[in-house]
Amino acid sequence: MHVPDVSVVVIVYNDAERLPAAVQSVLDQTLHGVEVVIVDDCSKDRSYAVARELEAANPGRVRAFQLPENSGGCGAPRNHGIKQATGTYVMFLDSDDVLDRNACRNMLAAAERTGSDLVSGMCVRVHLDNRWGKTTEWYPWIYSRTRTLESITEYPDLLVYDTLSTNKCYRRAFLLEQGLEFPVGIHYEDLLFSAQAYVAARRITLIPNHVYYWNVVEKAAAKSISNRRHEIANFVHRMEIHRRVDELLAAKGHTAIKTAKDAKFLKHDLVLHLRDLPLLGDAYRQEFARLANGYLAGIDPAAYENVTYLQAICAYLLGKEDWKNLLPAADAMTNKGRLSSPLAERDGRVYWCAEHLDDAEGRRILDVTAQGFHTAPLTSLALGNRLTSYEDDGRGTVTLSGSVVNPLGRIQEDAELKASLEFRARRQIGVRSFSFPVATVRHAGNTIEWTATADIGSTVRPLGIIDAVWDVRLKLTAGGDKLTTRVSVGGVDLESAARLRVRPRLTRLVSDRFEPEVTKKGNLSYVLTAEGPAAVRTQTLLGSAMHGKAAGLVKRSLRRALKARRNIGSGEQKVKVYHEVFSKLPVKKGTVVFESHMGKQYSDSPKAIYEELVRQGAPFEAIWSYAGAKPTGFPEQATLVKRWSWQYLRALAQAEYWVDNQGFPLALTKRPGTTYIQTWHGSALKRMGFHEPRTKAQGKVAQDRFQKAVDRFDHFLIRSEHDVRTLAKGFRLRDEVLLRTGYPRNDALVEAHRAEAHSGERVRGPLAAELGIDPDKRVLLYAPTFRASADGTVEGFEFPFDVEEFADRLGDRFTLLVRTHYLNSVSLPPSVAGRVVDVSRHHDITPLLALADGLITDYSSVMFDYAVLDRPMLFFAYDYEKYSTDIRGTYFDLKEKAPGPVVATADELMQAVSAFDEADAKYAEARQRFLAEFGEYDRGDAARRIVEKFFTRSGK
């Protein structure tokens, strides 16, 4: 008898309708040696009958089994499937999901090639109830490239983050030898089974292919076991599984993995439950705290260093069972960006609350100085606004009272207060909003208290049907500041609140009541519903009719109409108009569209080229793109257009030249009559373009799209032959596209170095006075690269050293300028004022480089530019091993070529700064070698050469 290559165990319970699709995804595999083992968990519907029918229709390929009684989970049916499987390898599939068509073939090939016990591929979440067809890859950075591990200790992130059992292929002999089984009678069985498999596997291979499609229905009437977080038993099970995994790791001595797992527990598992706490009662909270705190006591303290400030605060306050301060923190964590606490200031530091500051651990965790709440414009803060009471008259009028946070008393007591309460339709069709004056609004110490009465029944007139959900906002004017806040429900009970009578404009035969509701994020909203007999009957009839053929036609027509309306200003529609309308207009000679860092700045080489054009008086029309609500720092004499606006698209379509340093929108095709000068924004340490493993792992369609985008470049500026070997090769650029001119942005640095060498003195210029630099102190510029989190999102900047200690130890000799990457921002504690200066808001870094006596960086390409000045550099590479071996990798070993000390700890950094002059002399030759290799074409004339080549008559 032929032994199957792979047995796919499909488990099912009361899912007769979806089971055939799951099984068919196995039968359709491109690998033919696959069997299906269906295990029914004693369903009450036709699931087992359907399984038997599938078995009869596919003899020899499908086998069906049924457990004698329902187990209540996934463990027992999967264990039975392992026992019944006959394949060399085993995979698991749930009845509501499907496999990628090549899953078995790709995983088998990897297993056979490497001899691995376990092969894991990428899972994709498919959001079935999302009208845009949304899909999300499950921890894609783990699967950025093919890699084989001899031990899970080589890559702890795998055990910590990917706890699924279904996107994996296991050698069946391995499962049997190790006695690996899913726990039975407890939820979250995947976490324990996956951990056991990872730890036991002699070899693990990861592949960058999609293998499993996890179908998700966010608005399902019946929540899955793991999503029923309001049930305390759910949390009990989660805690028990975590304890068992911890015991496993402890038994194997995997302390590093335990620390990483603890961090993930704090920022994922615990967060899932904390978000619901403001909406749950005291009894639940007390039992939750008892269970959580027993586990938190064993968390490695180092784990707190790897979570967000709010996650750490929530865990700490939970340990103290300080509900007064914890619930606002949980609310802020759920509503990203919301400031829900009045804060406290002590000794120049800002804290989340005034309590627990006598505890050293409390002071450390509750310190939120770095978040900049004390310096950010008040209008930029999303202030927490908690509902304190809710009353209705049973008909159509409500009286709401609330409390708005006043952080650090920043809304002054003498500020005049005015407010209105706004009811706004979530779907913006027809009527936009209705406002009611707030009768009472007053200062109350750390808060602003308000009360408003709204006659909703006679004033709010929804259309009905299509604008079913309405959100509530408070618009507050405090002196000259205008603030808008959402109203969070907090602990106010809305269970007994009446449904308010309303009069929809379309018809009251469908809906006639407004029902208060708490959103998923804990905010107040109102939902149109029916209470009158006629409305209830109509809704029932509509519910039945909406499934008929006629209704299907109506729904499709309505969706098309809504889509057309919605798409008027959509990106898709704009791209279409760009190609079909604007690109048919004539090219306007002498028109240049400039853009720097996707419109975020007036800076870099595009700025240098623009200013050289102005200096030479060249005949041209300059158009600068900007991003954000309002352009700041851009030249007044240029035409400014907002990125992705209709004016922006038309300008690009008609421009004779495009000049930018990053990339105009990929979807826009460059016209033959337009010349694209790509200045780029730095030489490469990290791998770029097609040299990136993630780009290589993409499908042909994505790679072709990327290639088409870079093929738009008519000219690409480079600084050295290193750029030719790295950037040019990574983007697959032809040699004739390359302009060996150097970077125009570095012309000023070349000139500064020449002037200094000629005169023998360094002239700081007006910028030093503008920044308040002490002329007797040396200036250091700290310019780190940006950091992205594991899932690719940009992380908030946090100092990798104690900036206050730096100021105390070295502030008498040095002024430290801090310039974060343009994707990050920084907030300095008040205590370092004058000694440490934030210069991140300066668009252009070039004048800052010219000002600095020395540079501190990590891996930023600014190192290559600063080399032109021949001044000291320090490299604070505290995470070098992780950085150099992560997803992208590097082109060279920084430690070998760095023209300055490479240090790994904060203490080493401060020692290196103390020995500033010593490092200057020691690395003089290394700096020359570094410049020769990475800046050979930076000769100070790049902007002039480009202007003369493209924009002057002699050049043409």
Side-chain angles (χ1 to χ4, degrees), residues 548-558 560:
K549 290 184 178 179
L553 178 61
V554 172
K555 285 191 284 186
R556 286 192 295 273
S557 299
L558 178 60
R560 282 196 295 270

Side-chain angles (χ1 to χ4, degrees), residues 157 476 864 916:
D157 275 1
L476 173 66
F864 302 108
F916 185 79

Side-chain angles (χ1 to χ4, degrees), residues 388-555:
T388 54
S389 72
Y390 182 100
E391 298 176 2
D392 61 66
D393 64 359
R395 297 185 298 277
T397 301
V398 295
T399 299
L400 309 179
S401 295
S403 175
V404 179
V405 166
N406 183 10
L408 301 174
R410 295 189 59 187
I411 300 176
Q412 300 292 326
E413 286 193 18
D414 58 355
E416 183 183 357
L417 302 177
K418 292 187 294 184
S420 62
L421 198 63
E422 179 188 68
F423 290 73
R424 177 180 289 269
R426 190 172 296 174
R427 179 176 287 182
Q428 295 296 300
I429 297 175
V431 178
R432 296 277 178 176
S433 63
F434 296 90
S435 293
F436 299 89
V438 172
T440 302
V441 55
R442 63 185 182 84
H443 293 276
N446 288 332
T447 60
I448 304 295
E449 309 294 330
W450 59 270
T451 298
T453 297
D455 184 2
I456 294 175
S458 60
T459 307
V460 177
R461 297 294 307 278
L463 289 173
I465 305 175
I466 57 178
D467 56 351
V469 182
W470 290 65
D471 296 315
V472 182
R473 291 175 170 83
L474 182 80
K475 294 198 165 183
L476 173 66
T477 300
D481 293 322
K482 294 183 178 180
L483 313 168
T484 300
T485 67
R486 286 295 303 272
V487 179
S488 65
V489 174
V492 175
D493 182 14
L494 298 181
E495 289 293 326
S496 58
R499 293 180 171 186
L500 307 174
R501 295 177 183 175
V502 290
R503 295 180 298 158
R505 292 174 182 269
L506 294 180
T507 175
R508 276 182 280 180
L509 290 176
V510 176
S511 51
D512 58 2
R513 294 290 188 274
F514 247 168
E515 182 176 8
E517 182 179 85
V518 182
T519 69
K520 286 186 356 181
K521 294 189 174 182
N523 299 315
L524 177 63
S525 66
Y526 284 86
V527 178
L528 277 174
T529 185
E531 186 169 289
V536 172
R537 282 198 303 272
T538 305
Q539 282 210 338
T540 303
L541 289 171
L542 280 174
S544 302
M546 289 302 278
H547 296 289
K549 290 184 178 179
L553 178 61
V554 172
K555 285 191 284 186

